[in-house]
Amino acid sequence: MIDFDALLNAPIYDVFAEPVLYARPDEPPFDVRGVFDHRHLPIEFTDGAAMSAEQVTLRVRLSDFPARVSPGQGDRLQLRGATWFVQDVQNLGEGEATLVLSARSPIDG
C-alpha cells in the first residue's frame, strides 16, 4: 500500500505550510501546520445582480493532530495574527482535510 501522506503530503507541507495554534473547545491549544488560502467566489442572483464572497480555508494534515483528535466545527485557531473559527471540515482523504474558516464563531451566527 502506498503511503500518500508520507510521500506526497509531507513534502508539500514542508514547503507551503505555516504554523497554526489550534484549540478545541475546553481543551488546551496545540501546534499544527496548514496551507492557508482565500478566494473570491462570484455570487449571481436570479434577478441578475452579482456580488462576491470570500472563502477562507486551511488545508491540514490529520497526522499533525494529536492522537484521537480530529478537527471539528467550532474549533478555534490562531493564524497570521487573527483568530479563525472552523465552520466546516471537508475530509479530502489520504490524510488531509480542508477547514472552511470564518472570522466569527458559529455560536455567534
Side-chain angles (χ1 to χ4, degrees), residues 9-17 33 61:
N9 297 344
I12 290 171
Y13 280 72
D14 286 344
V15 173
F16 295 107
R33 298 178 304 156
R61 284 181 71 203

Side-chain angles (χ1 to χ4, degrees), residues 104-109:
R104 293 180 56 155
S105 167
I107 296 169
D108 295 339

Side-chain angles (χ1 to χ4, degrees), residues 1-6 8-10 13 59-63 91-97:
M1 174 151 252
I2 298 173
D3 184 352
F4 284 99
D5 185 53
L8 181 64
N9 297 344
Y13 280 72
R59 287 181 78 156
V60 295
R61 284 181 71 203
L62 299 175
S63 62
N91 192 330
L92 300 174
E94 304 304 338
E96 273 189 298

Side-chain angles (χ1 to χ4, degrees), residues 98-109:
T98 295
L99 310 180
V100 178
L101 305 178
S102 171
R104 293 180 56 155
S105 167
I107 296 169
D108 295 339

Side-chain angles (χ1 to χ4, degrees), residues 22-25 65 70-77 84-87 106:
Y22 198 96
R24 297 186 45 90
F65 283 72
S70 297
Q73 185 178 18
D75 292 354
R76 183 183 75 250
L77 54 97
W84 299 93
F85 295 91
V86 177
Q87 295 293 315

Side-chain angles (χ1 to χ4, degrees), residues 8-92:
L8 181 64
N9 297 344
I12 290 171
Y13 280 72
D14 286 344
V15 173
F16 295 107
E18 55 191 282
V20 176
L21 185 61
Y22 198 96
R24 297 186 45 90
D26 302 320
E27 294 181 20
F30 53 90
D31 294 316
V32 297
R33 298 178 304 156
V35 179
F36 183 78
D37 188 30
H38 58 91
R39 64 187 73 194
H40 291 277
L41 304 174
I43 299 172
E44 293 186 29
F45 297 95
T46 56
D47 65 359
M51 62 180 281
S52 69
E54 184 177 43
Q55 183 180 48
V56 180
T57 61
L58 183 72
R59 287 181 78 156
V60 295
R61 284 181 71 203
L62 299 175
S63 62
D64 284 346
F65 283 72
R68 295 179 298 283
V69 173
S70 297
Q73 185 178 18
D75 292 354
R76 183 183 75 250
L77 54 97
Q78 296 285 322
L79 173 66
R80 296 185 176 188
T83 299
W84 299 93
F85 295 91
V86 177
Q87 295 293 315
D88 188 30
V89 178
Q90 301 168 353
N91 192 330
L92 300 174

